[in-house]
Amino acid sequence: MNELSLDRTKIPQHIAIIMDGNGRWAAEKGQPRRYGHQAGVDAVKKIAAEATRLGVKYLTLYTFSTENWNRPADEISALMA
């Protein structure tokens, strides 16, 4: 879709995203889980920039659930960094 065909009256005010599967995505590519988490960070940066450009007022990212505290300490540390 090009910019001319975008109906700005249909841009949502709030977008919510559940971040899930980055570690599995990386594993499928033969990479460490951290690689997938970094790819998730890169994607969020692009999404946030585009949402801002389009005029989305609220962007909610569900990125870390209580179950995630059961992950290995080094992975939690990498996620928090």
Side-chain angles (χ1 to χ4, degrees):
M1 178 183 317
N2 65 38
E3 191 69 28
L4 295 176
S5 65
L6 182 64
D7 183 349
R8 291 195 172 265
T9 65
K10 295 184 178 179
I11 301 293
Q13 290 187 30
H14 184 192
I15 296 174
I17 300 171
I18 299 172
M19 304 289 292
D20 187 36
N22 292 329
R24 289 186 298 276
W25 175 83
E28 289 171 3
K29 298 188 172 324
Q31 298 292 327
R33 293 180 64 82
R34 289 181 185 206
Y35 176 85
H37 297 317
Q38 184 57 55
V41 169
D42 296 342
V44 165
K45 289 178 181 178
K46 291 175 186 174
I47 291 166
E50 191 64 10
T52 299
R53 187 183 75 76
L54 291 172
V56 174
K57 292 182 180 182
Y58 306 99
L59 178 62
T60 300
L61 301 171
Y62 184 76
T63 59
F64 197 85
S65 69
T66 56
E67 291 86 6
N68 290 148
W69 289 112
N70 296 323
R71 293 173 183 246
D74 63 328
E75 187 175 358
I76 293 171
S77 179
L79 285 166
M80 294 300 158

